[in-house]
């Protein structure tokens, strides 16, 4: 009878320890964005056309280098225009060093001050990049 109680106590202690402690995958995690930029595209997983000004009608890429993560982690890219959240894009993190990006087309009427934030699961801002969208008539021809 005492052996049975002792075994039950051990099972309870093991279960309590498993619930109270983070998983091995979470211990020591330091998810961070070490580089964040806006550009006009991505080639070979690298942003191209880096800029802080884009005309209406173009597609903007927000590119981030995420470090300290693991498979199963994720970040959000939150696109903000004139202080208002426009869209949130959830992106998977696949390893300890991971490049990821999201895209937003700046349709007519999108002129103004924009920013994009990279946020972790808890909503902490890991990086912010600001850019300006110019009205179609203000865009210079290249």
């Amino acid at each position: 009878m005492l052996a049975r109680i002792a075994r039950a106590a051990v099972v309870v202690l093991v279960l309590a320890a498993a619930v109270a402690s983070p998983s091995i995958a979470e211990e020591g995690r330091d998810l961070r964005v070490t580089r964040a930029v806006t550009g006009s595209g991505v080639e070979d997983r690298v942003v191209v056309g880096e800029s802080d000004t884009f005309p209406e009608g173009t597609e903007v890429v927000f590119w981030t280098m995420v470090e300290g993560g693991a498979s199963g982690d994720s970040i959000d890219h939150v696109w903000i225009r004139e202080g208002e959240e426009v869209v949130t894009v959830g992106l998977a993190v696949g390893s300890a060093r991971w490049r990821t990006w999201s895209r937003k087309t700046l349709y007519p009427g999108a002129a103004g001050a924009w920013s994009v934030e990279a946020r972790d699961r808890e909503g902490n801002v890991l990086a912010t990049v600001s850019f300006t969208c110019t009205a179609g008539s203000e865009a210079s021809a290249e």
Side-chain angles (χ1 to χ4, degrees):
M1 178 73 165
L2 283 176
R4 189 180 204 186
I5 292 172
R7 274 185 272 154
V10 168
V11 169
V12 169
L13 288 174
V14 168
L15 289 174
V19 170
S21 66
S23 70
I24 292 171
E26 293 173 356
E27 289 180 13
R29 190 69 57 77
D30 184 21
L31 190 66
R32 61 199 179 283
V33 172
T34 57
R35 185 162 185 245
V37 295
T38 51
S40 59
V42 174
E43 293 178 9
D44 296 322
R45 294 185 301 267
V46 177
V47 70
V48 294
E50 286 184 46
S51 183
D52 62 0
T53 304
F54 301 92
E56 289 177 331
T58 61
E59 184 176 75
V60 177
V61 172
F62 179 55
W63 183 97
T64 51
M65 171 62 76
V66 182
E67 296 190 14
S71 181
D73 283 339
S74 64
I75 64 168
D76 288 334
H77 284 179
V78 181
W79 293 77
I80 301 164
R81 179 180 177 267
E82 300 291 338
E84 299 290 324
E85 290 185 15
V86 175
V87 66
T88 299
V89 181
L91 299 162
V93 173
S95 68
R97 186 173 159 99
W98 193 256
R99 295 172 285 194
T100 191
W101 57 90
S102 61
R103 302 171 187 273
K104 174 81 178 103
T105 300
L106 302 174
Y107 293 106
W114 284 78
S115 62
V116 192
E117 295 178 347
R119 298 181 186 172
D120 64 16
R121 285 185 188 171
E122 289 76 38
N124 299 308
V125 177
L126 305 175
T128 304
V129 174
S130 298
F131 67 91
T132 302
C133 174
T134 57
S137 60
E138 297 174 33
S140 61
E142 294 183 26

